[in-house]
Amino acid sequence: MKLSFFLSALLAAAAPVLFHSAAHACAVCLSGSADDPLTDAFNWSVLFLMAMPYTVLGSIGAFLFYNYRRSTKRASEPSARTTIAPLTWIHKESGR
Amino acid sequence: MSEAATAHDAHAHHVELGFWRTYVFSTDHKMIGRQFLFLGLFMLIIGGLLAMMMRWQLAWPETEIPLMSWVPEPYMYGGILPPQTYNAFFTMHATIMIFFVVMPIMVGCFGNFLIPLMIGTRDMAFPKLNLLSFWVGAVSGVVMLSSFFVPGGPAASGWTAYAPLSAQAAFTGVEWGQHLWIISLIILGISSLMGSINYITTIVNMRAPGMTYFRMPLTIWSLFITAILLLLALPVLTTALAMLLFDRMFGTSFFLSQGGGEPLLWQHLFWFFGHPEVYVLVLPAMGVTSDILSTFSRKPIFGYHAMAFSMISIAFLSFTVWGHHMFISGMNPLLGTAFMMSTMVIAIPSAIKTFNWLGTLWGGSIRFTSPMLFALGFVSNFLIGGLSGIFMASTPVDIFIHDTYYIVAHFHYVVAGIIFALFAAVYYWFPKMFGRMMNEPLGKIHFVLTYIFFNCAFFPMHFLGVGGHMRRIYNPMQYEFLQPLQGINVFITVSAFLLGLSQIPFLVNFIGSLFAKKRAEKNPWQANTLEWTAASPPPHGNFDAVPVVYRGAYEYSSPEVKEDWLPQDRQLATTSTAARLH
Amino acid sequence: MVREAVARRLIEPEVAEELRTPALGGGEEPPTGVTSTQPAVSNARLALLMFLAAEVMFFAGLIGAFIVFRLASPAWPPPFQPRLPVGVTAINTVILLLSGLTMRLALMAARRGKPTRLVQWLSITALLGTVFLGIQGYEWLRLIGFGLTLSSGVYGATFYTLIGCHAVHVFGAAVWLIAVLLQARRGRFSERSYAGVQLCAMYWTFVVGLWPVLYGLVYLS
């Protein structure tokens, strides 16, 4: 009883997604018909614009990540290490 | 940074700049922040007065507005507001409130003032760019205000400037007003671009030693994300505005169907900017609220990482939802469904934030100071505004409430709700900005009056909207079905006037406290973040020595120390492990 | 001075631990409190990168508008509108791409500290950029002569705004390039400090890299 109620509620909730063409109770969707080239044009434009921020952020993120990795590597090279290691060793020797 | 820092060290305490370099063309981030604050507060008064006149017209249509009979003929007729001027007023009210009040204060003022102080550096990465950013923004404000004085009056096509209404002077009868509106916003875009580049560079490169990304206060997180949103969204508005200007001035027809153009394209580009813009407005308010709630609950913020990541995901999703502003404009139903889903998904991070705020309050030893009260006011208003937003996200419901007062209620709960966070921030950081405390009793009176009349003014708008009261309508009395609702309109108008009057305690408090004799202490709220380790107000160069950060910003009521706060830069001998946990 | 500070700080064991963990930008440097290590990407480069992000979004807006007009119209170019000079512009594209290459060579010369090479490559880049602008301007004049103007429908309008915005950027980049060239002739740059060349090269690369996209969209589609 409870399960069937739950399932039917779920179905009702999912209905607008599954049957969107039937459910689009849109009174003024004049330019919304699928075979209109303008609709298609807007769809592509929406997709393009939607993808752009992520493309830009992704490339900048990748660039920064690459640079940070490189500078990290440079910092951990032996030449950079040598100054720190003896100092640390001295500290241990000092027995504090 | 190293060179700049050492250069500053040498000069930090012996800088004697003239009046112009100190107060007008200053490169000091704190002075630029104060300049943005005064610009924003001045514009807030203008925007508020415009709203008052509109409210009078809606409650008592076509009657004489008191004290306004001096306005010359084409704009007002003996104090009576004609439809043309009404259109101009709601356009300018929204434009001023969004672009010249909330953005300059939340992003411009607190961004500039807080970022270097809170991340522990001496100034922004590019102080001169910062100076330029303010003055370009001020020029933009002057251009916007000057449109009140050109023939035909200011822009009258709504702040959204939907084409073709905005694309041809004949439609609104406004020639130069709309030109200036477009030009002003393009200039403002340049100002914001400079600001956001500066913010991002400063936050990424100039944090104090030990200030990792996940030790930054949430205010800084929010401003960081806001800057990224501005950076990516505003250029598209500039594109659209440039195209609109071309349509109006050079005879192109991007948005005019008689020349083969497409009016819907304007909405498409405008809302691509417009929706991230909503989060540009609200994210700093959220960040500020998080800091204030934590400080005055004397508890660590609940779910710091969740707060940061929910802001990131809000920003991430904000570029996928702009179509929900265009459900009624005509759209492929499949696309509409996708936009509806993504819009509803954005409710999840917003809900995470709200629940984490409640979690922060839970069991805290709350101090009801004015900033705390206003922050709580923001949370409650944001909750109402967020919930009414979900109704509009759903296409079938949106068809009925679109372009009604329901949506007016919704965005005022969010955007005018941001004003609560704005006041909270002003009360909270006033001691740091001006070196004096604001008066607490006056602040509380201000809060109580503002909170009551805010809700009286905006909540009944939901009922009007469901009753079919159109947005931007000049005279509701001309429709028979709206006449029974007129009582609500009168109630809203009276509340709005009282809301306006409730700001007098704030003005008195603000100006009076500026000249108060008693100086504020370094850390009057006993808060943890780095700005409270600097003097009040901080000198040129902010810190005596650049602080070293050992922990996150929210170590309140820590068992490690006997006080209930633990500043980020205090080094504890025995608690190295506690520090590392963050 | 830095080493002294490091030595002083190393008394704290956890600080020594932090020193061994890799530095990540401004924030996670060893807490010396005196000075910072250089961030991985300098302020100026990061700022320019952000500016370029904004530029990309600006052009994305224009391209988004172009997509709507292009896909919605049954015939492109619309009837009674002149064809665009695809061939000449293809040559022009090659010229601009070559200038991108010479700019990289100039940057490499700067990196290796070869001032005469630097000046040579910068001059060639500036020349190629100017030639590109010249050919573009000439073609524009011809198109206007054929009756393609801003007000002749969305075809002309999108063409002139997209290509015009790019041309303005090339012009700005060329002015910058010439300023850098003058500095280079006065011997401003060395192996150790060539940030001016680097920034200009970044911007030039953006302007060059944007063009093939616009060429493909506006001329070829």
Side-chain angles (χ1 to χ4, degrees), chain C residues 90-152:
Chain C
I91 297 170
N92 219 2
T93 308
V94 175
I95 290 175
L96 195 64
L97 289 176
L98 268 181
S99 83
L101 188 70
T102 55
M103 191 74 209
R104 298 312 300 177
L105 291 171
L107 182 62
M108 276 162 71
R111 211 170 263 160
R112 293 190 187 135
K114 291 177 180 158
T116 39
R117 273 287 168 76
L118 172 65
V119 171
Q120 279 169 9
W121 283 124
L122 282 178
S123 318
I124 295 173
T125 313
L127 185 71
L128 288 173
T130 319
V131 168
F132 173 83
L133 277 179
I135 296 178
Q136 285 288 92
Y138 176 70
E139 288 302 333
W140 272 41
L141 287 180
R142 273 167 42 101
L143 282 172
I144 292 170
F146 290 138
L148 186 71
T149 60
L150 264 180
S151 48
S152 58

Side-chain angles (χ1 to χ4, degrees), chain C residues 21-65:
Chain C
T21 57
L24 258 175
E28 302 186 31
E29 299 138 345
T32 57
V34 175
T35 179
S36 328
T37 51
Q38 286 294 311
V41 179
S42 72
N43 283 356
R45 277 180 85 198
L46 191 62
L48 185 61
L49 205 63
M50 295 302 144
F51 179 66
L52 292 184
E55 292 271 51
V56 170
M57 290 310 296
F58 177 79
F59 278 97
L62 286 175
I63 292 172

Side-chain angles (χ1 to χ4, degrees), chain B residues 147-218:
Chain B
S147 71
F148 277 101
F149 304 103
V150 293
S157 52
W159 85 278
T160 51
Y162 271 13
L165 187 62
S166 57
Q168 246 181 8
F171 291 142
T172 54
V174 178
E175 175 86 36
W176 269 97
Q178 190 80 39
H179 288 345
L180 289 176
W181 186 87
I182 296 169
I183 293 167
S184 164
L185 288 189
I186 291 178
I187 300 174
L188 188 74
I190 297 169
S191 159
S192 298
L193 177 67
M194 292 192 281
S196 52
I197 288 176
N198 219 340
Y199 293 178
I200 296 173
T201 313
T202 309
I203 294 176
V204 171
N205 269 359
M206 309 213 3
R207 281 165 287 129
M211 178 65 91
T212 60
Y213 282 108
F214 284 104
R215 281 179 186 172
M216 294 197 305
L218 286 168

